[in-house]
Amino acid sequence: MKIYFSYMKTLTLRCLSAGMLFLTATLLASCNLFDKADDVAFNTTLDHDIEASESTSGTNVTYQQVITLDATSDSEISRYKDKIKGFEVNKIKYTISSYSGAFATKFTGKFGFGDESGTSYTVSTTITDLDLQAAYTAGTVYELTLPVTEVAKIEAMLRDKKEVKIYVDGTLSQTPVAFTISVSLDVSIQADAL
């Protein structure tokens, strides 16, 4: 009988210990859920126009334009700027939204992104023989395709500084010409609640 009670006592203690471990694990997991419960997630589009103008007459004229895209110009991002945990870049698109020139000028070069404090791009993609006039007339929207690792660099720049420099670097087949490149980044943002 004594052995039976000792066995029951040990079994009861083991069940209580297992129950306490389960309860502790559940409480720790739920604390993490509470931490995530007050997170905020939203989507927005960051837009910026790059005004390009080359007034000299020539062929195969080197052209570079650099602008800074400030994510905090978006009111929702500005509201959460000190609480942002991450950016996810879903799409990067551009269109030629204005064109003025006597020739069907083509652009060949790089479309790049770099740190707001840097002087050159660290992420880029190549654009070949983009007919600016035809793109403007057709209203074509182009989507940049970048490797995931390169997109992650842009996301890190936005997360860390809330800004990224955008570079247009290449040659214009014929000038003079003036045009506008409208760039948009479709992004998702994760932030702590205010």
Side-chain angles (χ1 to χ4, degrees):
M1 188 81 144
K2 193 174 184 180
I3 296 174
Y4 176 74
F5 285 119
S6 175
Y7 173 75
M8 289 304 289
K9 183 178 175 183
T10 304
L11 185 60
T12 303
L13 288 175
R14 286 185 182 168
C15 287
L16 283 173
S17 294
M20 290 301 286
L21 283 173
F22 176 76
L23 184 61
T24 302
T26 303
L27 286 173
L28 289 174
S30 67
C31 287
N32 191 28
L33 288 174
F34 286 128
D35 182 44
K36 291 183 184 231
D38 66 348
D39 285 356
V40 175
F42 58 94
N43 298 325
T44 192
T45 301
L46 304 174
D47 296 314
H48 204 294
D49 287 341
I50 302 171
E51 304 289 337
S53 180
E54 182 58 58
S55 58
T56 60
S57 291
T59 57
N60 297 322
V61 176
T62 301
Y63 186 80
Q64 185 182 58
Q65 179 78 10
V66 182
I67 59 105
T68 300
L69 178 78
D70 180 1
T72 62
S73 64
D74 178 278
S75 62
E76 199 71 2
I77 291 175
S78 180
R79 182 174 169 210
Y80 287 97
K81 70 180 176 184
D82 296 327
K83 302 279 188 176
I84 291 178
K85 297 195 302 189
F87 278 82
E88 181 180 336
V89 176
N90 303 312
K91 288 183 183 179
I92 302 171
K93 300 179 285 187
Y94 70 95
T95 186
I96 307 304
S97 56
S98 74
Y99 180 84
S100 175
F103 308 104
T105 300
K106 292 183 179 180
F107 174 80
T108 297
K110 299 281 186 183
F111 201 99
F113 299 87
D115 186 88
E116 55 84 29
S117 62
T119 57
S120 63
Y121 48 86
T122 55
V123 174
S124 69
T125 188
T126 301
I127 297 171
T128 305
D129 289 331
L130 173 63
D131 186 326
L132 299 169
Q133 186 176 34
Y136 167 66
T137 302
T140 306
V141 177
Y142 299 93
E143 186 174 335
L144 293 180
T145 304
L146 295 166
V148 173
T149 54
E150 298 297 282
V151 172
K153 291 177 186 177
I154 298 169
E155 292 168 344
M157 290 177 224
L158 288 168
R159 181 193 65 234
D160 297 343
K161 305 287 180 119
K162 313 301 180 278
E163 292 182 330
V164 62
K165 281 187 179 173
I166 299 176
Y167 296 79
V168 177
D169 186 13
T171 59
L172 298 166
S173 63
Q174 298 178 354
T175 58
V177 67
F179 57 97
T180 303
I181 304 171
S182 296
V183 180
S184 66
L185 279 70
D186 294 337
V187 296
S188 300
I189 294 96
Q190 302 80 38
D192 287 325
L194 296 174

